[in-house]
Amino acid sequence: MTAPHHRTDSPALDAARRGGETASLPAARTGAPQPSTPPELDYNGRKHRRAMDDATLWDMARRIPTALIQTARLAWTVDRSMALTIVVCQLLSGIGTAVMLSAVAQALPQLMVHDPRQGLAQAWPALTAAVVAMATGASMWILADWATRRLNPKIASAADLELVDLHMRAELAAYDAEGFGDRSQAAEIGALRAVDLANDAKTLTNGFVQLVSAATVLTSLHPLLLGVLLLSVIPRAMGGVIAARIDYRVHDQTISARNVRGMMRWWLTTAELADELRANTMRGYLYFWYRAMCDRVEGRELEGARPYLLITLLAASLGGLFTLGMWASLAALVLGGAMSTAIAGTAVVASQTAGRALNSIIRYSTVMFHHGLYLSDYFAFIDEVRVMTTARGTAQAKPPRQIRLEGASYTYPSKDTAAVQPITLTLNRGEVVALVGENGAGKSTLIRMLTGLTVPTEGRVLWDGTDLATADAESVWRHVGLVPQKYGRWPLAARENITLGQPREHGDERVWDAADRVGMAKALRDLPDQLDTLLARSVWGGHELSGGQWQRLACARAMYREPAVIVLDEPTSEMDARGEHTIFRELRAMAPNRITVVVTHRLDNVRMADRVIVLDQGRIREQGSFDKLIATEGSLLGELYALAQDR
C-alpha cells in the first residue's frame, strides 16, 4: 500500500495555482478582514519622465547614435587598444565585402557568356579575389568578436564600479533627495545593460558597414535596386522603434514596484528576519503583498504585450510586401532587357548581403535604442551624483582639541522644519559627553554635524578653528570612530570586521587588543578559524554571531582606529549587562586623549558622562552633570529618568 498523500501546500500557494487569486488566504476563509492592497508606486524622480510620450520617432531614432557614442566613450575609457581593434576590423570587413561583391560582379558575366572551361579560365582571378576578400572579412569579424569579448566585461565592471564609487562618495544629503532611490535603481539597470554594450554596438555598426558596401555595389548595378531595398526595411525599422518605446514605457511604469519588490524579497528570504516573520504570523500578509506587487508588474507587462505584437506584425507584413516589390522590380528589369541575367545574379547576391545587413541593423538598432534609454538614466544619475560628492574644500583637518558649533542647524531636503535648530555648543578633548532626548529630538543629526558627515545648512562646525564645510572630508573622517545605530555586519573575516578601513601595519596584536577591550577575544578564539573565520552564515563555511557580539565588534572597530573623536549611538542596545559594563569602562579609560560622545536611552549609563546634553525638538533644552540635572525641578532628564525607574 502506498502511504496517503498529505497536502502541505500553503493557502497562498493554492491561490497562486488558481491564477493569482491572492485574496484566498487564511484570513479570507475565516471571515477575517482581508489585507489591504499595497498602494500604487509611481516613479516620479526622473527628470525626463515624459520623454517617451512627447518624443517623435525622429527624436527617438536619434538616441541610437547617442547610445553608440556613449558605448564608444566607455570602451575608449576601459581599453583603447581593443576599441581600436574593433573599429579597424569593422572597416576591413566592410572593404572585404565590397571587394567580394565587385569580384563576383566581374566573374559572373564571364561564367555565363563563355563555355564553362573558358569562362572559368577568364573568371578565376576575380573568383580568387572574391574568396580572399570573403576570408579576410570573416577573419576580421572573428578578431572583432574576440576584442568585443574582452571589452564587454571591462565596460560592465567600469560602469558598475563608477556607480558604486559615487554612491559611497556622495553627500548623505543625496540619499535624502526625493526620488533618489528610484533614480539609483534606474541607473543600476543601465549599468547592467553595459554587459552586452560592446557586442551589440559592434553588430550594429558592422551591419551599417556591410550595408554601405553592398549598397555601393547595388547602386553601381542599377540605382533603382537600392531604393526598393531601403523601402523594404523602413516599416520594420519604424516598427522596431515603436516596439522599443512600448517596452520602455512598461519599464518606466513598473520601476518603483520592482525596486520595492526587490528590497522586500531580501527581507523575506534572509535569516535575519526569519524568526520575526514566523513567530508573528507575518507570512500570510507578506506573501499576499509580494504576490500583489508581482501581479502588478506582470499586469503592466501583459498590457504592453498586445500592442507590441500588433506593431511587430504590421511592420513585418509591410516589410515583406516591399521585399516582394524588390524582387518584382529585379525581374521586370531582366525581362525588359534593362539588365542582363549575369548582372541580375550579382544583384541577387548583393541584395541578400544588403538584406542581412539591414535585418541586423533593424534588430540591433532596437537593442541600442533600448540601451540608449537605459544608458541615459545611468549617465543622468552619474552626472547628478557627481556634483553631490563630498568635495567641500582642501583644508586638512587635524585631531581636534575642541569642537565648536556656532549657530549650526540642519534641515533635510524637502523638509520645512529643521531637524536641529541653531545650536551653539563646545566639546573639549578629555570630556565624555552624553546626548539624551526622546526619539526624533535630533541626536543622530547632531552627531552627523559633529563628525562632518553632513555640513550644517546654517551656521558652522569648527574643529580647532577649521570650518568643516571647507575641510577635505576624508581628512576629517580619518580622526573619527563611529558606532551608528545601524552598523554593518560585513560578510568578511572576523579580522576585517575589526580592521575595516585601516591598514594592518600593527599585525594581529592590535586586533586582539581591540577585541579584548570589548570582551570579544574569547568568542573570536572559539571560532573555527579564529580571526580568519568568515562572518556570514549564508555562505558555506561562514559563521554567525549573536546581535550583542556583532555590536561588540562594531565597538571594537571604532576603538581599533584610536580616533581623536569617538561617537557611539546606542552602542550597547543589544548587549547583556556584562558587555555594557565593559564598553563604558573602556570609554572612560580612553577618554583623556579624545572627545567622546555617547547617545543612549539607558539613562543609568549616562552617569559616567562628564556632561549631559538634553535635546528636545532639535534644541538644547538643558545641559550639565547627571546628578545636577535630575535634581533640578522641571528637568526633562529628571522626568525621563523617573519614567525609566518606574518600568
Side-chain angles (χ1 to χ4, degrees), residues 41-338:
L41 300 171
D42 192 20
Y43 176 29
N44 293 307
R46 193 182 303 123
K47 296 176 182 176
H48 54 278
R49 175 169 177 74
R50 288 192 53 83
M52 290 301 94
D53 295 327
D54 298 337
T56 64
L57 288 177
W58 172 245
D59 292 332
M60 295 166 65
R62 287 190 302 177
R63 288 183 181 271
I64 296 171
T66 300
L68 288 172
I69 292 170
Q70 290 171 334
T71 304
R73 192 173 93 191
L74 285 171
W76 187 256
T77 301
V78 300
D79 195 330
R80 295 185 178 184
S81 62
M82 291 298 103
L84 285 172
T85 298
I86 293 173
V87 172
V88 171
C89 288
Q90 299 278 54
L91 293 174
L92 291 177
S93 176
I95 293 172
T97 298
V99 171
M100 182 271 291
L101 291 175
S102 298
V104 169
Q106 293 177 13
L108 280 179
Q110 302 294 333
L111 291 171
M112 299 184 73
V113 170
H114 303 92
D115 64 77
R117 290 182 178 233
Q118 186 179 359
L120 188 60
Q122 295 288 332
W124 76 263
L127 291 175
T128 302
V131 171
V132 171
M134 186 182 299
T136 301
S139 300
M140 292 302 100
W141 173 259
I142 293 171
L143 186 58
D145 191 53
W146 168 79
T148 303
R149 289 179 180 274
R150 290 182 60 86
L151 260 181
N152 267 338
K154 293 183 179 181
I155 291 175
S157 294
D160 186 44
L161 286 170
E162 184 169 20
L163 195 60
V164 171
D165 181 55
L166 284 175
H167 272 87
M168 293 192 296
R169 291 196 292 116
E171 289 278 8
L172 292 180
Y175 288 89
D176 300 316
E178 187 176 1
F180 182 87
D182 283 338
R183 291 194 295 278
S184 174
Q185 173 72 9
E188 184 179 346
I189 293 173
L192 290 173
R193 288 276 174 140
V195 173
D196 298 317
L197 270 180
N199 186 65
D200 295 336
K202 176 206 68 175
T203 308
L204 176 61
T205 53
N206 183 73
F208 279 114
V209 170
Q210 298 299 320
L211 176 62
V212 170
S213 301
T216 302
V217 175
L218 277 174
T219 304
S220 66
L221 296 174
H222 201 291
L224 179 62
L225 293 177
L226 180 62
V228 176
L229 183 65
L230 289 175
L231 283 175
S232 70
V233 80
I234 288 176
R236 283 179 287 175
M238 292 180 65
V241 172
I242 295 172
R245 178 175 179 168
I246 294 170
D247 200 24
Y248 185 77
R249 186 178 292 139
V250 171
H251 155 81
D252 182 79
Q253 292 172 344
T254 59
I255 188 169
S256 285
R258 284 184 283 109
N259 188 13
V260 176
R261 184 183 66 178
M263 290 187 289
M264 181 65 83
R265 189 184 190 285
W266 189 87
W267 290 113
L268 295 181
T269 57
T270 181
E272 292 185 23
L273 297 181
D275 295 357
E276 180 185 9
L277 187 148
R278 286 160 175 77
N280 291 332
T281 61
M282 297 176 176
R283 183 192 56 78
Y285 173 71
L286 289 175
Y287 185 87
F288 168 85
W289 187 99
Y290 190 81
R291 179 160 181 79
M293 204 61 67
C294 289
D295 289 344
R296 190 167 294 163
V297 173
E298 179 184 312
R300 294 277 196 277
E301 292 175 345
L302 291 176
E303 286 174 10
R306 186 171 183 273
Y308 189 99
L309 176 63
L310 292 176
I311 289 295
T312 305
L313 284 175
L314 179 61
S317 299
L318 290 175
L321 187 62
F322 278 110
T323 301
L324 266 176
M326 182 193 71
W327 291 107
S329 300
L330 190 63
L333 288 171
V334 173
L335 293 174

Side-chain angles (χ1 to χ4, degrees), residues 457-534:
T457 50
E458 292 184 18
R460 301 191 300 170
V461 177
L462 305 173
W463 278 22
D464 293 339
T466 300
D467 188 344
L468 295 191
T470 64
D472 175 68
E474 293 289 340
S475 74
V476 175
W477 299 330
R478 277 196 291 269
H479 306 300
V480 173
L482 174 66
V483 181
Q485 288 187 43
K486 295 182 180 180
Y487 50 88
R489 301 186 179 191
W490 303 103
L492 302 169
R495 179 187 294 102
E496 280 68 43
N497 264 282
I498 293 176
T499 65
L500 198 59
Q502 297 293 300
R504 284 185 52 215
E505 54 191 29
H506 304 286
D508 285 345
E509 182 179 349
R510 187 168 155 190
V511 178
W512 285 114
D513 177 65
D516 190 54
R517 287 186 186 184
V518 298
M520 272 295 289
K522 182 180 184 306
L524 293 181
R525 286 192 173 93
D526 289 342
L527 293 175
D529 298 309
Q530 297 192 358
L531 293 179
D532 292 316
T533 303
L534 176 65

Side-chain angles (χ1 to χ4, degrees), residues 372-567:
L373 297 174
Y374 298 117
L375 281 175
S376 65
D377 288 333
Y378 172 81
F379 283 108
F381 184 76
I382 289 294
D383 292 339
E384 174 190 348
V385 179
R386 188 174 284 122
V387 300
M388 302 177 76
T389 54
T390 49
R392 301 169 187 168
T394 58
Q396 295 296 303
K398 306 294 183 184
R401 301 191 65 84
Q402 184 182 85
I403 299 177
R404 179 166 176 78
L405 285 75
E406 296 182 347
S409 69
Y410 187 80
T411 304
Y412 285 94
S414 73
K415 298 292 184 182
D416 297 326
T417 305
V420 173
Q421 304 292 336
I423 286 178
T424 297
L425 175 68
T426 301
L427 307 178
N428 298 300
R429 183 179 292 184
E431 184 181 30
V432 177
V433 176
L435 289 181
V436 175
E438 297 177 278
N439 294 332
K443 302 183 295 296
S444 296
T445 304
L446 180 56
I447 283 175
R448 284 183 168 188
M449 290 196 292
L450 289 173
T451 56
L453 287 171
T454 57
V455 293
T457 50
E458 292 184 18
R460 301 191 300 170
V461 177
L462 305 173
W463 278 22
D464 293 339
T466 300
D467 188 344
L468 295 191
T470 64
D472 175 68
E474 293 289 340
S475 74
V476 175
W477 299 330
R478 277 196 291 269
H479 306 300
V480 173
L482 174 66
V483 181
Q485 288 187 43
K486 295 182 180 180
Y487 50 88
R489 301 186 179 191
W490 303 103
L492 302 169
R495 179 187 294 102
E496 280 68 43
N497 264 282
I498 293 176
T499 65
L500 198 59
Q502 297 293 300
R504 284 185 52 215
E505 54 191 29
H506 304 286
D508 285 345
E509 182 179 349
R510 187 168 155 190
V511 178
W512 285 114
D513 177 65
D516 190 54
R517 287 186 186 184
V518 298
M520 272 295 289
K522 182 180 184 306
L524 293 181
R525 286 192 173 93
D526 289 342
L527 293 175
D529 298 309
Q530 297 192 358
L531 293 179
D532 292 316
T533 303
L534 176 65
L535 300 184
R537 186 175 64 182
S538 58
V539 179
W540 187 87
H543 189 85
E544 187 58 76
L545 301 179
S546 69
Q549 288 175 324
W550 272 114
Q551 200 164 41
R552 291 191 194 210
L553 272 193
C555 292
R557 190 154 54 234
M559 293 179 181
Y560 178 86
R561 296 171 63 85
E562 297 184 352
V565 180
I566 186 166
V567 179

